[in-house]
Amino acid sequence: MKFLSRLVLIFVAYYLYNRLFSSSSINTMSEKQNTVIVIGGGLAGLTAAVEAHNQGNTKVILIEKEKNIGGNSMKATSGINAIEPLNKDSREAFIEDTLKSGAGISHEDLVVKLVDESRPALDWLIKESEFEAGKPTLDLTVVSRCGGHSVGRTHRCPAQNGRPVPVGWKLVDTLKKRFTSYPDVEVITNARVLNLLSEPAKNNVKSVVGVQILKKDPETEEETKEEIRANAVILTSGGFAGQTGKQLADGRHTLLSEYAPQLVDTATTNGPWAAGDGVRLGLAVGAGIRDMDQVQVHPTGFVDPSNPTAPTKFLAPEALRAYGGVLLNGDGKRFIDELTLRDRVTAAIYSQTGTTHNHADSLMSKVLPKDYPATYMVLTDDAVEDFGKSTLGFYASKGFFTQAEGIDNLAKVIDVDAKQLEQSFKEYDQYVGSEKPDSTGKTFFPGPLSGPTTYWVALTTPVVHYTMGGLNMNTDAAILGDDETTVIPGLYGAGEVTGGVHGHNRLAGNSLLECVVFGRTAGRNAALYAQQK
């Protein structure tokens, strides 16, 4: 009996030993889940958050100051770039186009990374959209050639059931669903980051160890401060093109007024949340900045005839011109290659300001104040079909488009001679199908302008759209100091909050791509850094 009792005790002891001190239990007890904080819930932030989580053993906290995540990424409509072999695209051509657009001030190593990881970025997005194995919910098969590109490589979503699928919204929605499906993540909205928490590190550099936030109760409006510790922080809070006045509500000067004062009070396509918060947070812990004076003024923002001087405007996406939209001045004449670099198109539009009120009965004269820079954007019915009638129908429902049946009625809208307008369209048509340059230097002509057709006419104006400058970073998406070599430990960044990729001028489709390429890098490296702490 005693033997049996001893045997039972030995068995129990052996069982408890294995439960408490086996290698798997020791690993479980000793492993501490690391924390990565992502500041900003646009495409870059969601990408970083998903990729950080994918590294394992990482709790990811996504902080967004607005009540909903999405940011300006939700507004993107032209598409996301990737090397497109079907159009005889190449790595070299894509790099050359991007560097040319950057006018010599892009960091070439960042551009090379952007291009080399462009196709993997699309593949990753498609994979992350599989909520059932083998059934992706993201379709990026529509490809267009936008301004400044030597071939078509800008991908967007086809319409579904006759309804448009804006590419920015779809990408954000896909990654939002993916991220919020994880059990061990947290999303904090209505929370503004006041400061990055830091500790002294080597060589007088601060190491980032968390954030201080100001949370607002959406029901009571009560605000409370809170500190959240983390092993790494990723800045993905966007640029500063949403505040185009001189001062913020708290009395500080806007970053736009400091670095590009000539653009103060210019209309913008950005939401007011794009105020440069992340840039200021980085500066406070020793980060450096670059290219802050490089602010992209997109050539075409829609003018709402019922409120022509509204400070915030819908973007008239570059894809409209990619599918055949042309720009006419107040005299009804083309004056620029519609598919050249954005900064060149914008400069040309400003040069035509004097034609705005040349014709008293024109749509321009009836709608716009004097000396207001604007153009007519004109598309044929075929161009509308190629672009996507359902998508254009959305803009038409906002009152942005006027329809004119035939050349005579188009001439009446513009208040010019119909025969002269018809002749200029015929001259344009002579180049369709060839790659010979016309008088503007244009070599890519998507389709003819003449013939029996319905013309779709919109008024457009240049708008502040994107800030190319921001915090210094390297190809690891680590934020750097003023010397552009010293790493700020524990601090990473992606998207418009950083600088160095786009230089003087950003190509259409490279913004969403940057968010995914560098968002993935930031998320992955922040999680790996956290695991080493």
Side-chain angles (χ1 to χ4, degrees):
M1 194 69 180
K2 288 182 178 180
F3 174 79
L4 184 61
S5 297
R6 286 178 180 176
L7 192 62
V8 170
L9 287 171
I10 291 171
F11 177 80
V12 170
Y14 180 79
Y15 174 79
L16 291 174
Y17 177 87
N18 276 285
R19 287 281 293 175
L20 295 174
F21 301 106
S22 66
S23 60
S24 61
S25 296
I26 291 171
N27 287 340
T28 301
M29 293 174 67
S30 63
E31 280 186 1
K32 178 184 176 184
Q33 190 178 41
N34 305 295
T35 300
V36 171
I37 290 174
V38 180
I39 302 173
L43 181 60
L46 286 165
T47 299
V50 170
E51 192 73 338
H53 177 273
N54 288 348
Q55 305 313 303
N57 195 36
T58 304
K59 178 179 180 180
V60 182
I61 302 173
L62 180 64
I63 300 174
E64 169 58 52
K65 72 177 181 180
E66 299 297 310
K67 65 179 180 179
N68 297 308
I69 59 179
N72 280 325
S73 303
M74 295 278 282
K75 297 182 174 187
T77 50
S78 284
I80 178 170
N81 292 332
I83 298 171
E84 184 47 71
L86 295 177
N87 289 340
K88 298 181 180 180
D89 195 9
S90 69
R91 170 182 184 267
E92 292 73 22
F94 192 178
I95 290 173
E96 182 180 350
D97 288 348
T98 302
L99 290 175
K100 180 181 178 182
S101 182
I105 60 174
S106 300
H107 268 203
E108 187 167 351
D109 58 343
L110 298 177
V111 172
V112 169
K113 177 183 176 70
L114 181 81
V115 171
D116 284 347
E117 298 185 21
S118 63
R119 179 54 61 174
L122 259 65
D123 294 340
W124 181 84
L125 287 167
I126 299 297
K127 186 65 177 176
E128 291 297 338
S129 78
E130 291 184 7
F131 297 97
E132 292 182 47
K135 296 182 179 180
T137 58
L138 180 62
D139 183 350
L140 294 170
T141 55
V142 177
V143 181
S144 61
R145 177 180 172 181
C146 291
H149 292 272
S150 56
V151 299
R153 61 170 71 98
T154 307
H155 298 70
R156 59 193 181 96
C157 308
Q160 291 186 352
N161 301 318
R163 297 176 64 85
V165 182
V167 61
W169 171 85
K170 184 61 176 177
L171 297 183
V172 167
D173 185 62
T174 297
L175 295 185
K176 176 183 175 182
K177 288 177 180 176
R178 174 61 67 196
F179 183 66
T180 55
S181 71
Y182 301 140
D184 53 347
V185 301
E186 185 177 359
V187 178
I188 303 174
T189 55
N190 288 301
R192 184 162 60 90
V193 177
L194 300 176
N195 297 291
L196 298 177
L197 304 179
S198 62
E199 295 177 351
K202 297 179 181 179
N203 302 320
N204 296 319
V205 176
K206 295 178 180 178
S207 175
V208 175
V209 295
V211 299
Q212 181 190 50
I213 64 173
L214 184 66
K215 295 175 67 175
K216 178 184 286 188
D217 187 307
E219 295 182 0
T220 65
E221 297 289 314
E222 182 180 351
E223 294 182 330
T224 56
K225 289 184 180 181
E226 179 182 342
E227 289 189 356
I228 307 174
R229 307 290 287 191
N231 303 96
V233 174
I234 305 173
L235 291 170
T236 55
S237 50
F240 54 92
Q243 294 290 340
T244 58
K246 290 184 178 180
Q247 290 185 316
L248 299 170
D250 60 11
R252 291 179 299 172
H253 287 291
T254 62
L255 292 178
L256 190 82
S257 69
E258 289 185 37
Y259 294 101
Q262 74 279 10
L263 298 177
V264 166
D265 294 332
T266 303
T268 179
T269 61
N270 287 238
W273 53 79
D277 298 348
V279 172
R280 296 180 192 273
L281 291 171
L283 286 170
V285 294
I289 53 177
R290 58 171 291 128
D291 304 336
M292 292 289 285
D293 61 334
Q294 301 298 313
V295 178
Q296 183 169 81
V297 180
H298 194 287
T300 55
F302 282 119
V303 174
D304 182 352
S306 66
N307 189 11
T309 59
T312 302
K313 299 188 185 302
F314 276 85
L315 184 71
E318 198 150 325
L320 288 165
R321 287 174 278 134
Y323 284 104
V326 295
L327 301 179
L328 307 181
N329 65 13
D331 294 324
K333 297 178 180 179
R334 286 184 61 244
F335 55 91
I336 187 68
D337 171 6
E338 290 85 359
L339 295 177
T340 190
L341 297 172
R342 289 178 174 178
D343 57 333
R344 296 178 184 177
V345 181
T346 295
I349 292 172
Y350 279 124
S351 74
Q352 300 297 312
T353 301
T355 68
T356 302
H357 278 253
N358 279 358
H359 301 266
D361 290 328
S362 69
L363 180 63
M364 277 189 182
S365 291
K366 293 175 181 177
V367 169
L368 299 174
K370 195 172 182 180
D371 296 328
Y372 194 88
T375 57
Y376 295 106
M377 179 182 286
V378 179
L379 294 92
T380 65
D381 233 356
D382 285 345
V384 170
E385 289 289 346
D386 291 341
F387 171 77
K389 205 158 193 172
S390 60
T391 304
L392 192 130
F394 168 78
Y395 297 126
S397 71
K398 296 289 184 182
F400 300 150
F401 277 95
T402 296
Q403 294 183 51
E405 193 63 41
I407 195 78
D408 289 339
N409 286 316
L410 174 61
K412 288 179 182 178
V413 171
I414 303 175
D415 191 24
V416 295
D417 182 76
K419 290 184 178 179
Q420 289 183 1
L421 186 61
E422 183 177 25
Q423 181 60 33
S424 68
F425 281 8
K426 286 181 177 179
E427 291 173 1
Y428 177 96
D429 293 348
Q430 291 176 4
Y431 294 91
V432 176
S434 74
E435 294 185 356
K436 295 179 180 179
D438 70 355
S439 60
T440 69
K442 188 170 185 171
T443 58
F444 177 61
F445 301 83
L449 298 177
S450 304
T453 186
T454 298
Y455 292 99
W456 298 67
V457 188
L459 290 176
T460 61
T461 188
V463 279
V464 172
H465 183 54
Y466 190 88
T467 49
M468 276 76 71
L471 299 173
N472 291 334
M473 72 164 177
N474 61 20
T475 54
D476 292 327
I479 298 302
L480 308 175
D482 279 325
D483 61 4
E484 297 193 46
T485 57
T486 302
V487 171
I488 308 295
L491 187 60
Y492 298 83
E496 200 173 351
V497 71
T498 61
V501 177
H502 308 294
H504 174 65
N505 183 67
R506 178 177 65 76
L507 284 178
N510 270 356
S511 176
L512 294 182
L513 178 61
E514 177 193 24
C515 288
V516 180
V517 168
F518 288 95
R520 291 185 70 197
T521 302
R524 180 168 57 252
N525 287 338
L528 294 175
Y529 172 88
Q531 291 170 14
Q532 296 168 5
K533 294 291 288 181

